[in-house]
Amino acid sequence: MLGSSSLEAIPRLDRRTDLSREAAAMLAVLSVSLLGTFVLFLLNDLLAVVPLVAFLAAVGYGWVTQQDVTARVLSLIATASTIAILGLITVFIFYRAVPAFRLMGARLFGFTDPVTVLGVSLPAVETFWSTGSNTYSLVPMIWGTLVTTAIAMVIAGPLGIAGALFLAEIAPPMVREVVKPGVEILAGIPSIVYGYLGFVTLNTFLFEHLRMSNLGSLFLVGLVIGLMALPTVVSVADDALTSVPASMRDGSAAMGATEWQTTKSITLPAALSGVSAAVLLGIGRAIGETMAATVIIGHSQQLPQPLADVFASTETLTSLIASQYGNADGGHMSALFAAGVVLFVTVLVLSIGARRVELRMERKLGGEP
Amino acid sequence: MSGEYASTLVTDEATLGERVASTTIGLGLLVFVLSVLAVARVVTEEASVLGIGLYDFLAGGLLAMGLGVGVVGVGSALGRVATTPDETPGTVTAGAFGLIAAAVVWLSTAQIGAFGPLGGVPAGLLAGAVTFVGLGLLPEDLGSTLPTVAVAVAVSGAVLTNLLTPAWLWDPEWLSAGFSGSMTIPVLLAVAALLTAWAGAKAYGGYGSEGRQAGAYLLVALNALGMLAVLLAIILFIVTKGVAPAFEGFSLSPFDWPFVLNGYSFRPDVVNGVFPAIVGTIYLVVGATLTGVPVAVAAAVFLTEYAEQGPFVGAVEIATNGLWSTPSVVYGLFGYAFLVPRLGGTTSLLSGMLVLGFMLMPLCLITSREAIKAVPDEYRDASAALGVSQWETVKSVVVPAAMPGIVTGVILGVGRIAGETAPILLVMSGGLRDDAPNVLGSFEFTSAPPFVANDALLQSSPALPYQLYATITSGVSAENAVEYGWGTAFVLLVVVLSFYAVGIATRMYFRRRLNYE
C-alpha cells in the first residue's frame, strides 16, 4: 500500500537516527495496534477500542521518550490514512453497488427502446425507474446531470473567465482589492441557501412568467448551479491569470500591442492551463452539486419528451440519491450506490484529467527561465 | 492602467464621431439595465417613462442607438469621421452575427412549425455561414456597423409597430414552457442594446485595435459589474427576507434573542428558534476539525519535510485530488455504508463529524502543503546549522512559520463544511427539536466494550443546513414555515460567510505583514 519509496525510507530512518531497541519496540506496538484497530473496525467489532487504546498509549509513550521518531511515524500514518480513506470510499461505494450491477447488468444504462451503438444493441428496460418491478436504469438521471451541467457551464464558463479577466487585467488595484475577497466570500454561500431561494422564489417566478407546465425544471437547476459555480471559476481563473509573469506582458506592450491584444494573445494563452483547470473545477462542482438540485428539481425519473425540452423536470444523479435514500433498501439502495459510482468515477476522471493538463502545461512553461 | 499604453497623442477635444458613439454607449447602458430589470419583473410593461410605455421607450432608445452607430460607421466608411478601421471585422464579430442569423432563421422556421423543432437547423446553419462569409468581405467599420443597425432596427421596429406585444405568446409543443411577449421583449431588447453598445464602443475607439479594446473592455467590465450585482442581490434578498423573522422579539436590555436562543417547541405562543441547530453545527464543526485537521497537517509535514518525491507522493497527490473533488453526496453515501453500521447502526452526530472531517482533510492538506513549501529554506538551514534535529526544526521553525497559511486554510475549510448539507442528510439527519444536544454532559463509562458511552454523540442532532432542508421538505407544519426558513437561511449565511470573512482577513493580514517586513 505504501509504495516502494516508503519501504526504502525505513532503513534510511534507521541509519540516520540510530534507531534504539526501545524505539523499534514502540514502532512494532504502534503498527500492530493500529492495524488491529482498523481490522476490527472494518469487521464491525466493538473490541476495536482495545487496540485503539494500546495505540494511543504507545503514541503517548513514544512522544515522551522518542519524539522525533514518533513524529515521523505519525506523519507517515497520517499520509497513509489519506490514501486509505480514498480507498475505503471507492471500495465501499463499489461494494454496495455490486448488487445493482448484478441485477441490471448493462440495462443499468438501458433505454426503453433498444438502442444500437456500434453494432452492439443495449437490452431495453420496460420503464426507466420503478421500485415496484425492481427496474433501475440511470439513463434519465445521467441525462439530467449532463443537461444541468451543460447549462451551468454555459453560464459559469464564459462569464467566469470574463470576470477573471476583468479582475486580473482591467480593474484598478483599489477595485481589485475589494472585489477579489468579495468574490471569494460569495463562493462560500452554502448550496442549501441557493436551493431555498430557488425553491421558494425562482421556481414560482419561472412557473408564472414562462407559463411552465411543471415546477422544477432542468433549466432552473442549471441556472442556479451556474450562479453557484461562478465565484469559484472567477477566483481560480484569476489566480491563474495573475501568475503569468509580468515580463511576458511587458514584452508584448513593448511591441506596441494594445492591452487587450496582450491579454488576448499573450496572457490568456499562457494561463490557459490554469483557466481550463478552473473551468473543469467548476464542472466538477456542478456535477456533484446536490442540495440545490434536490430542492428545486421535480423528481420524475423519466427522460424529457422530446430530449431538447430543458424546461421539463427530470432528475439528476445527486438529487436521486438525496431524495430516495430514506425509503430505499435492497436492490433500490444498491441502485442509488450505482448512481454514486457513476458520479464518483466521472468527477475523479475529470479531476485527474485537469491535473494532467495543468502538469503538462507547467512543464511546457517551466522550461523558460 | 489603460492610460499607459494609449496611443492617441493628440486629444484636444472629442470629435463628433466620438461624441455620438459615447452617447450611444450611455444610452445602451440605460436600455440594458432597464431591460434586465424588466426581465426580473422589477419594472413591468405597465410602467411608463416620460409618458411613454416602458417597452416603447426602450425600443425608441434602441432605435436611436442603432442610428447613432450607423451614422458613425457610414461616416467612417465615407471618410468623414477619422478612424483607423481594419480590413475585416474579425472572426469574433463575424461569428457573433453569424450565430445570431442562424438562431433567427432556425427559430422562425420552428415558429412557423413547418419542419418541427430541428427541421430548420440546416437553413439556420446556411444563413449563419452566409452572414459569416459576407461580413468577412466588408471593411471593419461597415462590417461591425451594418449588422448591428439591422438588429437594432429589427428589434425596435418589431416592438414599436406592435408586431411584438406583451400579449404575444410563443408556446412550442416541444417545450414545457411558453414565452410571452412581456418576457421575450425585454430579453431581446437587452441583447440588442448590448450588441449596439459594443459596436458603439468600437466606434468610439476609432475601430482597429484600439476600437476592439474599447469594445472588449466594455463587455468585460459590464459582465463583472453584472455578476457582482446579481450575487449581491442574492445576499441582500436573503438578508431582507431573513432579518425580520430572525430578530422577532429581539431586545437588548434585558438581553433576549428568541430566534437564536430558543428551540423549536411546536407551541404557537413561543417564538420558534434555531438554538439546537446552532449548537449542533458547532459540535459538528469542532468534531470535524478534530478529525480532519491533525491528520491533514501531519500528512502535509510528512510529504514536504520527510518524503522523497516519488511514486508514493504521487499516489498521495492523486488521493488528495480525488478526495478534494469527490462530490459531497458520495461522502454521504460512504458514511451511510461504512460509518453508520459501525457506530450504532443509526444516523448519528459522530458519523456526521467523521464524514465532515474526511471532507475537510484534502482542503487542509493542500493549503498546509502550500504554506509549508512557502517557508524559505534559509530557515531550515539556519536551524540545521545549530545542530538541531530535523524534528526540532520542523516543530519550532517550519510549522510556526507556516502557521498563518495553515490557519487560513482551516478557517476556509471549516466555512465550507459548516454549510454542507448533503453528507449530513445521509448520516445525521436530525430534525427540529426543543433541546440542544448535550455532548459534554453525557459521557459515561460502561463495563462492556467500548467502555465509554455517549448517547448524545450516537444520536441524530440538528444542524443549521439540515434544518433549512427540513423546512423545505415540510418538516414544519406551522403556518410561518417560509419565514422560519428565511430566518434559518439568514443565520446560516451569517455563520458561514463570517468564517470565510475571517479566513480571508487572516490571509490578507499575514500576507501584508510578510510583504512589509
Side-chain angles (χ1 to χ4, degrees):
Chain A
M1 186 169 77
L2 303 182
S4 55
S5 71
S6 66
L7 291 178
E8 287 160 22
I10 304 287
R12 208 175 59 237
L13 190 109
D14 196 337
R15 195 170 59 240
R16 270 196 218 154
T17 54
D18 201 10
L19 203 61
S20 67
R21 187 169 292 169
E22 201 186 22
M26 191 229 12
L27 281 187
V29 173
L30 217 63
S31 39
V32 169
S33 57
L34 187 65
L35 201 67
T37 313
F38 186 70
V39 169
L40 284 175
F41 193 65
L42 216 55
L43 295 174
N44 200 359
D45 194 327
L46 280 177
L47 281 173
V49 174
V50 178
L52 182 67
V53 171
F55 171 74
L56 291 177
V59 168
Y61 177 75
W63 192 260
V64 175
T65 56
Q66 301 272 337
Q67 209 182 69
D68 44 357
V69 182
T70 317
R72 182 181 293 211
V73 170
L74 277 183
S75 65
L76 173 65
I77 291 174
T79 315
S81 41
T82 310
I83 302 186
I85 287 170
L86 185 72
L88 274 179
I89 292 180
T90 321
V91 166
F92 268 81
I93 304 290
F94 274 84
Y95 171 70
R96 292 293 298 269
V98 164
F101 282 104
R102 282 229 183 99
L103 178 71
M104 298 296 293
R107 290 191 307 150
L108 204 54
F109 307 101
F111 292 80
T112 44
D113 302 316
V115 177
T116 309
V117 185
L118 303 172
V120 184
S121 56
L122 276 172
V125 285
E126 46 279 13
T127 53
F128 280 122
W129 188 269
S130 155
T131 49
S133 65
N134 242 2
T135 311
Y136 310 103
S137 163
L138 294 177
V139 168
M141 296 58 154
I142 293 176
W143 177 255
T145 305
L146 204 70
V147 171
T148 48
T149 307
I151 295 173
M153 286 336 286
V154 165
I155 295 167
L159 297 189
I161 294 174
L165 278 180
F166 176 78
L167 273 187
E169 303 287 316
I170 302 177
M174 280 262 292
V175 174
R176 187 187 152 76
E177 209 122 291
V178 178
V179 171
K180 169 86 176 164
V183 167
E184 282 173 355
I185 291 178
L186 287 175
I189 301 179
S191 63
I192 186 71
V193 172
Y194 279 102
Y196 195 69
L197 188 76
F199 176 77
V200 177
T201 311
L202 294 179
N203 235 345
T204 37
F205 179 86
L206 283 196
F207 188 73
E208 276 173 28
H209 293 287
L210 284 183
R211 299 163 189 258
M212 313 255 286
S213 49
N214 49 277
L215 278 171
S217 59
L218 290 174
F219 173 76
L220 179 58
V221 174
L223 192 75
V224 172
I225 295 179
L227 267 182
M228 286 177 61
L230 200 50
T232 314
V233 175
V234 172
S235 175
V236 180
D238 171 70
D239 287 341
L241 285 170
T242 40
S243 66
V244 173
S247 55
M248 288 173 92
R249 285 189 198 121
D250 294 346
S252 167
M255 301 289 287
T258 61
E259 254 183 277
W260 175 243
Q261 281 171 328
T262 307
T263 304
K264 202 175 56 176
S265 329
I266 306 290
T267 319
L268 202 54
L272 197 63
S273 59
V275 172
S276 50
V279 174
L280 283 179
L281 193 71
I283 294 180
R285 281 278 166 81
I287 292 177
E289 170 41 47
T290 312
M291 293 325 290
T294 307
V295 169
I296 295 171
I297 214 163
H299 299 298
S300 78
Q301 293 81 27
Q302 281 158 354
L303 279 180
Q305 288 299 337
L307 272 183
D309 187 0
V310 293
F311 293 97
S313 86
T314 318
E315 183 85 284
T316 64
L317 289 165
T318 50
S319 69
L320 177 83
I321 298 170
S323 65
Q324 300 211 348
Y325 80 95
N327 45 19
D329 50 10
H332 185 191
M333 193 70 214
S334 184
L336 297 186
F337 274 91
V341 166
V342 174
L343 264 178
F344 179 71
V345 171
T346 317
V347 176
L348 200 65
V349 167
L350 262 179
S351 97
I352 292 176
R355 184 91 193 117
R356 280 277 158 106
V357 171
E358 224 174 349
L359 282 179
R360 206 175 56 205
M361 296 296 279
E362 247 168 49
R363 267 207 307 274
K364 238 166 135 185
L365 277 180
E368 295 159 357
Chain B
M1 275 257 311
S2 63
E4 287 172 36
Y5 304 126
S7 65
T8 320
L9 294 177
V10 185
T11 46
D12 286 342
E13 55 187 57
T15 62
L16 183 66
E18 279 178 345
R19 244 179 263 158
V20 172
S22 57
T23 314
T24 308
I25 299 170
L27 199 56
L29 295 186
L30 179 72
V31 172
F32 178 72
V33 170
L34 280 176
S35 306
V36 169
L37 289 179
V39 174
R41 311 299 285 165
V42 178
V43 289
T44 56
E45 57 267 24
E46 277 92 41
S48 65
V49 189
L50 308 174
I52 314 168
L54 178 72
Y55 290 172
D56 284 343
F57 175 79
L58 294 178
L62 181 63
L63 192 62
M65 286 170 66
L67 293 180
V69 169
V71 165
V72 182
V74 174
S76 156
L78 295 176
R80 301 285 169 83
V81 181
T83 52
T84 51
D86 284 356
E87 280 170 13
T88 66
T91 27
V92 175
T93 312
F97 286 109
L99 277 179
I100 291 174
V104 165
V105 170
W106 169 54
L107 282 175
S108 350
T109 52
Q111 163 76 336
I112 296 163
F115 312 108
L118 296 178
V121 168
L125 285 179
L126 185 70
V130 168
T131 315
F132 183 78
V133 174
L135 286 181
L137 298 175
L138 290 171
E140 191 194 8
D141 43 8
L142 285 182
S144 65
T145 300
L146 294 183
T148 318
V149 174
V151 169
V153 168
V155 171
S156 55
V159 176
L160 288 174
T161 58
N162 284 339
L163 198 66
L164 270 179
T165 58
W168 178 86
L169 180 68
W170 181 46
D171 197 359
E173 277 184 12
W174 49 279
L175 276 184
S176 321
F179 302 94
S180 63
S182 48
M183 287 298 271
T184 313
I185 294 173
V187 170
L188 282 178
L189 284 171
V191 172
L194 209 56
L195 267 179
T196 320
W198 180 40
K202 280 204 248 179
Y204 180 77
Y207 301 104
S209 53
E210 289 280 329
R212 283 182 198 178
Q213 166 159 322
Y217 277 18
L218 177 79
L219 290 188
V220 169
L222 256 185
N223 164 63
L225 268 180
M227 222 160 65
L228 283 176
V230 167
L231 291 170
L232 282 183
I234 289 175
I235 290 193
L236 275 183
F237 188 77
I238 292 161
V239 170
T240 48
K241 287 274 191 181
V243 161
F247 282 90
E248 195 185 343
F250 177 81
S251 73
L252 211 51
S253 69
F255 181 77
D256 192 21
W257 193 352
F259 191 77
V260 169
L261 298 177
N262 282 5
Y264 196 90
S265 57
F266 295 97
R267 293 218 313 265
D269 53 323
V270 184
V271 177
N272 288 314
V274 292
F275 182 66
I278 292 177
V279 174
T281 307
I282 292 173
Y283 277 126
L284 265 183
V285 161
V286 170
T289 314
L290 289 180
T291 323
V293 173
V295 175
V297 174
V301 167
F302 182 82
L303 286 175
T304 355
E305 296 296 318
Y306 293 126
E308 252 166 54
Q309 308 297 313
F312 180 63
V313 175
V316 177
E317 246 158 30
I318 291 178
T320 319
N321 273 318
L323 278 174
W324 161 243
S325 56
T326 303
S328 58
V329 73
V330 173
Y331 277 97
L333 274 177
F334 163 69
Y336 191 80
F338 180 75
L339 291 174
V340 169
R342 284 166 180 77
L343 297 171
T346 55
T347 53
S348 64
L349 181 58
L350 187 59
S351 313
M353 289 173 171
L354 289 176
V355 166
L356 290 185
F358 293 158
M359 289 192 65
L360 190 56
M361 249 190 234
L363 184 72
C364 284
L365 180 54
I366 292 169
T367 48
S368 308
R369 262 200 91 180
E370 304 253 306
I372 296 175
K373 268 188 196 164
V375 175
D377 271 342
E378 286 88 347
Y379 285 31
R380 298 185 181 92
D381 295 345
S383 173
L386 292 172
V388 175
S389 77
Q390 193 181 3
W391 165 243
E392 283 293 332
T393 308
V394 169
K395 188 174 72 173
S396 31
V397 176
V398 177
V399 170
M403 219 33 164
I406 297 176
V407 169
T408 309
V410 169
I411 297 173
L412 288 179
V414 164
R416 175 157 173 244
I417 60 164
E420 272 296 345
T421 318
I424 58 174
L425 176 71
L426 276 89
V427 302
M428 194 169 88
S429 65
L432 300 159
R433 58 188 231 189
D434 196 16
D435 56 326
N438 181 10
V439 172
L440 295 179
S442 48
F443 271 106
E444 274 173 24
F445 289 99
T446 56
S447 54
F451 306 115
V452 176
N454 190 334
D455 272 349
L457 267 184
L458 293 180
Q459 280 170 1
S460 298
S461 147
L464 283 171
Y466 183 79
Q467 189 133 316
L468 193 52
Y469 178 71
T471 315
I472 294 168
T473 51
S474 71
V476 190
S477 49
E479 57 192 32
N480 60 353
V482 175
E483 278 73 34
Y484 184 74
W486 284 120
T488 313
F490 171 67
V491 173
L492 177 62
L493 200 65
V494 168
V495 169
V496 172
L497 292 194
S498 44
F499 269 117
Y500 269 78
V502 169
I504 289 166
T506 320
R507 193 181 63 197
M508 285 168 77
Y509 171 74
F510 283 114
R511 199 173 274 173
R512 203 160 290 172
R513 228 181 53 168
L514 271 177
N515 286 346
Y516 286 142
E517 260 174 8

